[in-house]
Amino acid sequence: MQLNIEEMARKAAEGHPDYTPDVAPPDTELEAFFSRFAQLVAAAVKDEAAKAIDARDTGDCTREDMEARRCAAAIRAMEVKT
């Protein structure tokens, strides 16, 4: 599943009276805001997911703990695309 957070931010802005997406050229400052917002949200979601998996690690060397560590490391290594 891939979420387009940047598109979600645009949809959220549609109700704001100062947001005019059909004006050319596009507001590059606003587009940069949407991109940065999407990066921040994606990074926060990734961090929270890794923390949730970290909580499963009891500190032992059981198979489940080792798998939890691998999963958390894989999530942290994921590239955030916006």
Side-chain angles (χ1 to χ4, degrees):
M1 179 174 85
Q2 184 175 357
L3 299 175
N4 189 334
I5 299 166
E6 197 168 332
E7 184 61 30
M8 289 179 201
R10 280 190 190 89
K11 284 184 181 183
E14 285 175 1
H16 194 280
D18 292 336
Y19 181 62
T20 52
D22 299 328
V23 175
D27 184 344
T28 54
E29 188 175 309
L30 188 57
E31 289 301 313
F33 167 80
F34 288 144
S35 180
R36 181 68 183 137
F37 177 78
Q39 290 171 357
L40 290 170
V41 170
V45 168
K46 187 174 88 163
D47 185 53
E48 288 301 312
K51 284 179 184 177
I53 294 173
D54 284 339
R56 302 277 304 160
D57 185 350
T58 62
D60 297 330
C61 287
T62 64
R63 181 175 155 193
E64 291 83 9
D65 281 349
M66 291 168 48
E67 188 62 28
R69 289 180 202 130
R70 280 194 292 270
C71 288
I75 289 171
R76 286 186 174 97
M78 288 171 53
E79 182 180 334
V80 175
K81 295 180 181 179
T82 59

